[in-house]
Amino acid sequence: MHNPGTASQERFPAADRFAEGAQFIAGRLTKGTSGRRHAVVDPATGDEVYTYDLAGTDDVDAAVAAARAAFPGWSSATPGERSDALHRFAAVLAERAEDFARAESLQCGKPLKLSREFDVPGTVDNTAFFAGAARHLQGQSAGEYSGDHTSYVRREPIGVVGSIAPWNYPLQMAAWKVLPAIAAGNTIVLKPAELTPLTSLLFAQAATAAGLPDGVLNIVTGTGREAGEHLVGHADVAMTSFTGSTGVGKRVAEVATATVKRLHLELGGKAPFVVFDDADLDAAVNGAVAGALINTGQDCTAATRAYVQRPLYEAFVERTAALMETVRLGDPFAPGTDLGPLISHAQRDRVAGFVDRARAYARVVTGGEAPGGDLAKGAYYRPTLIAGAAQDSEIVQSEIFGPVLVVLPFDTDDEGIRLANDTPYGLAASAWSGSVYRANRATRDIKAGCVWINDHIPIISEMPHGGYKASGYGKDMSTYSFEEYTQVKHVMFDNTAVVRKDWHRTIFGDR
């Protein structure tokens, strides 16, 4: 039986929408068939708020079959028809915004103001963007490139897409996976993280309410080991898109390669935050604290490594620590809360482990501990600033995924750029300077998929998101994402009506 848990109606107003289970297949909710159950836990309190039956391989097979059955109809719909459906989808999401915001904060522990002002409106905007983009799937214009033929390019949907989304931004990541795929005419099976399925399920229900045909969007909520691997390796899945850690991404690539399917990977990050000596120090300090602590640091683009040119270094450390100490930890649903808990106690302990090991070789300037009192039962960790670490140390090189910023000095511009590039990752970065020449050099020489100048974190639907190096390949958002979700077909027409072409002599006869 479904267990609604202990969350109040105020915190979880959409609870009744999950009564039938946590799998969404062919337009309706069902229970998983793995024989195992899982609890969604409020990380602010440790309370179970929803318990459900996990998906097994049979559920994955059913979801893929539903997506495959829906593909001919959806892929042959006109761009205008798909666009209209997505416009209706955006309207339903906007109508249900508060339900989405509360469910997102409940399952993730993020402050309600972040869900209301960032996650939900960003998702509505992304849906509206792809409603328009669905009408602009264009190929190269027609032309007579050989002289005797007219060529043009078609963009065609790939088929059934099997995607896996992470737990840090479950609503936005569901949208990033689903929207370009279906706007391009594909159908999709999405596996959200089993920790945070609630808003992905609400998203699918909203799609059905907007009139998207059954089977276009399906959700299977199960473990990566069982449901995830079966989805990625499924013979009827033509493409896999995965967002998560680099380690798991390597495993996804191994499984996907066995069936030679299209693969898109958005993996880990360790974003540098480079402050040159002509930067506005106050702006950089505010940007560093906000960029490091958004979503309690559980963001693959979060500012994690601040490199500050020597003349500003000491003042940056002092002011950043002071500003971090003003950040208010608390109940995610309380109006005065700035920072919520980490996703789980296990994740909090993982973050604490990185900081505790760093004490042997670096200085914890502020933070570095879990709070006591009323917050002790939640997965909270204080905003943490670390100085004095070496470039090759664990705290600098490894993705922590928590509210931890490490600060290192540099002397020359060349050194600052070199240090910024000196990790395996390349997802995002920022540079802070009053000089257009320094800023332009940073955008050119820092190897990352996004480089901000005098800011850190903002994203927009019209621009692509994706990384270099161990941060993966391919793009989410923007029309660039259609490169991942479409096949490019060259069509060539003979214009001569000549029976025996000149090139035939290479096979038979003379000129």
Side-chain angles (χ1 to χ4, degrees):
M1 292 289 291
H2 155 68
N3 175 10
T6 57
S8 68
Q9 177 66 22
E10 181 184 4
R11 292 173 81 91
F12 193 16
D16 59 347
R17 295 189 188 165
F18 304 96
E20 300 304 316
Q23 318 305 322
F24 190 86
I25 300 172
R28 67 186 186 91
L29 287 171
T30 64
K31 291 181 170 58
T33 62
S34 70
R36 290 177 291 110
R37 292 173 67 72
H38 187 81
V40 176
V41 175
D42 178 353
T45 63
D47 294 335
E48 294 184 4
V49 298
Y50 177 67
T51 303
Y52 64 93
D53 299 291
L54 287 162
T57 56
D58 288 347
D59 303 302
V60 174
D61 290 341
V64 171
R68 188 178 182 187
F71 178 72
W74 184 247
S75 62
S76 62
T78 67
E81 289 168 339
R82 292 199 294 268
S83 176
D84 288 346
L86 288 170
H87 276 300
R88 294 194 301 270
F89 191 9
V92 174
L93 293 173
E95 290 169 1
R96 300 179 179 182
E98 186 65 11
D99 285 351
F100 277 99
R102 288 183 175 275
E104 192 79 337
S105 287
L106 183 70
Q107 66 182 354
C108 298
K110 61 182 66 182
L112 189 56
K113 66 178 180 181
L114 179 62
S115 296
R116 280 176 173 163
E117 298 174 23
F118 184 76
D119 298 70
V120 175
T123 300
V124 174
D125 181 75
N126 212 229
T127 308
F129 170 81
F130 278 105
R135 290 180 178 266
H136 298 284
L137 277 168
Q138 298 174 345
Q140 192 172 11
S141 60
E144 287 67 49
Y145 299 99
S146 77
D148 292 336
H149 305 82
T150 296
S151 290
Y152 67 88
V153 168
R154 291 176 57 90
R155 282 194 179 273
E156 298 180 348
I158 295 172
V160 176
V161 177
S163 293
I164 299 176
W167 47 255
N168 58 332
Y169 291 102
L171 175 59
Q172 289 205 84
M173 295 298 99
W176 288 15
K177 299 301 180 196
V178 169
L179 295 171
I182 65 175
N186 302 285
T187 55
I188 188 167
V189 179
L190 173 73
K191 192 200 88 65
E194 61 269 31
L195 294 174
T196 55
L198 300 179
T199 45
S200 296
L201 293 166
L202 288 176
F203 191 69
Q205 291 174 314
T208 295
L212 268 73
D214 293 349
V216 170
L217 168 55
N218 307 274
I219 307 288
V220 289
T221 308
T223 66
R225 182 71 66 182
E226 184 174 2
E229 291 209 6
H230 192 63
L231 178 62
V232 172
H234 202 291
D236 290 334
V237 170
M239 174 189 166
T240 289
S241 178
F242 170 80
T243 295
S245 71
T246 299
V248 177
K250 291 177 181 178
R251 176 58 184 163
V252 169
E254 290 174 2
V255 176
T257 299
T259 51
V260 198
K261 52 172 53 78
R262 180 81 65 89
L263 184 61
H264 164 220
L265 297 173
E266 198 268 270
L267 306 177
K270 189 71 177 176
F273 185 101
V274 183
V275 182
F276 294 101
D277 58 14
D278 63 345
D280 181 322
L281 182 58
D282 287 337
V285 167
N286 280 271
V289 174
L293 300 185
I294 186 170
N295 202 30
T296 318
Q298 298 166 125
D299 187 312
C300 51
T301 64
T304 60
R305 299 178 289 138
Y307 296 102
V308 183
Q309 206 151 25
R310 192 81 61 178
L312 297 183
Y313 176 76
E314 293 296 340
F316 180 90
V317 171
E318 179 182 351
R319 295 189 194 182
T320 300
L323 186 57
M324 277 188 170
E325 289 167 3
T326 70
V327 172
R328 300 164 297 180
L329 278 68
D331 178 359
F333 289 82
T337 294
D338 297 321
L339 202 69
L342 291 149
I343 188 64
S344 67
H345 288 82
Q347 179 65 13
R348 182 199 64 188
D349 293 345
R350 179 180 181 275
V351 171
F354 276 103
V355 175
D356 290 344
R357 290 190 295 275
R359 297 179 196 276
Y361 56 79
R363 176 170 63 99
V364 177
V365 182
T366 191
E369 62 182 4
D374 293 341
L375 302 182
K377 62 182 179 180
Y380 290 89
Y381 198 77
R382 294 195 185 282
T384 300
L385 184 67
I386 293 176
Q391 174 66 16
D392 62 356
S393 62
E394 178 191 51
I395 203 78
V396 174
Q397 293 292 322
S398 297
E399 186 174 35
I400 299 169
F401 232 55
V404 179
L405 176 65
V406 58
V407 188
L408 296 87
F410 69 92
D411 292 302
T412 67
D413 289 15
D414 287 347
E415 182 188 15
I417 298 293
R418 178 182 62 79
L419 292 171
N421 287 329
D422 184 29
T423 71
Y425 301 104
L427 186 58
S430 65
W432 299 72
S433 173
S435 164
V436 66
Y437 303 106
R438 274 176 155 170
N440 191 50
R441 182 199 173 180
T443 65
R444 183 183 68 242
D445 290 353
I446 294 177
K447 304 307 179 187
C450 174
V451 180
W452 292 283
I453 298 298
N454 296 327
D455 207 345
H456 195 109
I457 285 297
I459 54 173
I460 49 175
S461 297
E462 292 82 359
M463 287 291 110
H465 177 86
Y468 288 25
K469 303 188 294 184
S471 293
Y473 46 82
K475 299 299 179 185
D476 288 309
M477 298 201 301
S478 81
T479 55
Y480 289 97
S481 64
F482 287 140
E483 302 295 330
E484 317 306 324
Y485 294 99
T486 57
Q487 299 275 22
V488 173
K489 177 186 287 184
H490 170 214
V491 178
M492 197 174 203
F493 280 90
D494 170 58
N495 291 330
T496 67
V498 173
V499 174
R500 185 160 178 168
K501 308 292 195 294
D502 184 58
W503 72 267
H504 291 177
R505 66 188 172 79
T506 63
I507 308 301
F508 53 86
D510 300 321
R511 182 183 294 273

